Amino acid sequence: MSRGAQTFKQGDVTKALKGAVKAGLSVQRVEIDTDGKIILITGEMLPSAATGNEWDNVRR
């Protein structure tokens, strides 16, 4: 019995997780919907992203 077409790949989940972490989110759980939609359940902001950096206040 075959599994059928895969709606997502491991690389897709990895990209979603890395993007969320880079944005400063703390990922608590990952869910995959029956349609293949990747859902990230997040928690509190990570301290490093919440404080920002010195370039956030630079004016043009």
Side-chain angles (χ1 to χ4, degrees):
M1 183 172 199
S2 67
R3 296 184 197 186
Q6 299 296 314
T7 55
F8 69 95
K9 296 181 177 146
Q10 181 177 355
D12 299 332
V13 176
T14 302
K15 287 177 188 176
L17 285 169
K18 285 184 178 181
V21 170
K22 190 172 182 178
L25 299 174
S26 173
V27 178
Q28 301 297 318
R29 183 173 74 229
V30 177
E31 296 179 359
I32 308 297
D33 194 353
T34 56
D35 298 328
K37 182 169 64 170
I38 300 168
I39 303 167
L40 302 178
I41 308 300
T42 61
E44 298 178 13
M45 296 283 289
L46 296 176
S48 61
T51 58
N53 64 42
E54 66 272 9
W55 289 103
D56 288 340
N57 299 323
V58 175
R59 296 183 186 196
R60 294 181 186 196

